[in-house]
Amino acid sequence: SKQLKYRSSRRGYRFVGLLRRPLIGIAVPAMRTFVAASLFAVATATSSTTTAQANPIRRVVSLLQAMAEKIEAEGKRQDKAMQKYVCYCKNNKDELVTSISDGKATIELLNSKIEAATNAKTQAEADLKQAQADRAEAQKANADAEAAREKEAAEFAEESGEMKANI
């Protein structure tokens, strides 16, 4: 038969391979857990049997008292929560009022800036159209003047050729 091996340590023997000695290191903690669970089960069974044997009226009264304690605790929690909520509302109301008034002032300021920018854009577009019209008129005048100079230069060249021929 195969035997599992164990190694010796401070807490007892530990499993290493094939067995030579019992599982002392593992069995002691398991035994402690089993004993603790058994004691708990015995204590629970004892308390439930005494409760089952108690007077039914006393059981109802104790249940009502327990419910009253729970309701009081819940009421205290709700009171604390309500106080926090009321404090939050009071503190934030002033902040919200100032925030709303600041927002309205900002809206009015931005609307006036938008209106001023729109007027400036309209004026700039009108100035641009006027400048384009003036530029076109100046280019036409420049072309007319250039044509007149070329005509005069041609006339001068013709007259100067005749004068040179006459000399």
Side-chain angles (χ1 to χ4, degrees):
S1 75
K2 293 183 180 179
Q3 293 181 341
L4 297 176
K5 292 184 181 178
Y6 281 85
R7 186 175 0 149
S8 177
S9 69
R10 284 189 288 160
R11 298 164 82 192
Y13 293 97
R14 301 235 172 206
F15 175 73
V16 179
L18 295 175
L19 184 67
R20 287 192 184 172
R21 296 202 171 114
L23 297 173
I24 295 173
I26 297 172
V28 172
M31 182 59 89
R32 286 183 186 156
T33 307
F34 176 74
V35 170
S38 300
L39 288 175
F40 178 73
V42 169
T44 307
T46 305
S47 66
S48 66
T49 57
T50 56
T51 307
Q53 294 172 354
N55 186 357
I57 295 173
R58 182 65 193 150
R59 285 179 56 199
V60 170
V61 169
S62 63
L63 286 174
L64 290 174
Q65 288 174 345
M67 285 176 56
E69 289 174 2
K70 287 182 182 178
I71 290 172
E72 282 184 37
E74 187 176 331
K76 288 179 183 177
R77 272 196 323 254
Q78 287 180 353
D79 285 342
K80 285 183 182 178
M82 185 64 176
Q83 287 174 356
K84 287 181 182 178
Y85 178 71
V86 168
C87 181
Y88 172 79
C89 289
K90 285 180 183 177
N91 291 340
N92 285 341
K93 179 183 176 187
D94 297 333
E95 292 176 15
L96 289 174
V97 167
T98 56
S99 175
I100 289 170
S101 64
D102 290 346
K104 287 181 180 179
T106 303
I107 288 172
E108 291 175 9
L109 176 67
L110 292 175
N111 282 337
S112 65
K113 284 185 178 181
I114 289 171
E115 188 177 331
T118 304
N119 292 339
K121 180 184 174 237
T122 305
Q123 182 63 37
E125 287 174 349
D127 291 345
L128 177 65
K129 285 183 181 179
Q130 182 62 38
Q132 287 173 343
D134 291 345
R135 180 175 178 236
E137 189 177 313
Q139 285 176 342
K140 183 180 177 189
N142 191 16
D144 290 343
E146 190 174 322
R149 279 193 301 274
E150 286 177 8
K151 182 179 175 186
E152 289 175 2
E155 287 176 9
F156 175 75
E158 188 178 316
E159 285 180 23
S160 111
E162 281 181 22
M163 287 188 173
K164 285 183 184 179
N166 287 337
I167 296 188

